[in-house]
Amino acid sequence: MGKTTVQRAFEDLQDKGFLVLEQEGDWYHRRAHEWRLTAKATQTRSGNKAATNDWRFWQPEKTKRGSETDPSASSVVPFENPKTSNGSKSEPVRPVSRRSVGSETEH
């Protein structure tokens, strides 16, 4: 896997509450990051620490509804050809028909 793919996956797991960074690592002192899974109990010096289950509180972001945020609005085919500067008459857009089998004339 690529470095950025893994980094995005870790960020996604953190955002959704599955992982928590307990202690940041240090490259020069050869210490790795220490992560905690929120779904599992953790053993510490003072005893066991219960799972926090932070992922239960995650909710997806609500999106706005309407034509301004609709991504399909930009891919709609116009009803007329674009206006030209010389003022010619606009004509309706006709779909391009492509024949993959057969000849130009039908029998």
Side-chain angles (χ1 to χ4, degrees), residues 1-13:
M1 283 190 190
K3 179 181 175 181
T4 55
T5 304
V6 173
Q7 186 175 12
R8 265 183 274 145
F10 266 86
E11 288 172 2
D12 193 35
L13 289 170

Side-chain angles (χ1 to χ4, degrees), residues 5 17 36 44 50 64 74 86 90 93 99:
T5 304
R36 178 176 56 87
T44 62
K64 292 183 179 181
S74 61
N86 62 7
S90 60
V93 175
R99 295 183 183 202

Side-chain angles (χ1 to χ4, degrees), residues 19-77:
L19 283 179
V20 174
L21 180 63
E22 288 291 311
Q23 186 170 356
E24 195 168 330
D26 186 1
W27 176 261
Y28 297 105
H29 294 102
R30 296 180 169 225
R31 268 195 336 230
H33 291 316
E34 291 184 22
W35 298 92
R36 178 176 56 87
L37 290 170
T38 61
K40 298 281 184 179
T42 310
Q43 188 174 8
T44 62
R45 290 179 186 166
S46 60
N48 284 343
K49 188 176 176 184
T52 58
N53 293 318
D54 298 341
W55 53 271
R56 290 183 181 175
F57 305 111
W58 178 81
Q59 292 183 353
E61 293 181 19
K62 295 194 178 205
T63 58
K64 292 183 179 181
R65 293 186 178 184
S67 60
E68 292 178 9
T69 59
D70 186 14
S72 63
S74 61
S75 62
V76 174
V77 177

Side-chain angles (χ1 to χ4, degrees), residues 86-103:
N86 62 7
S88 63
K89 182 180 173 185
S90 60
E91 299 175 10
V93 175
R94 293 181 184 91
V96 178
S97 63
R98 297 180 186 214
R99 295 183 183 202
S100 59
V101 181
S103 62

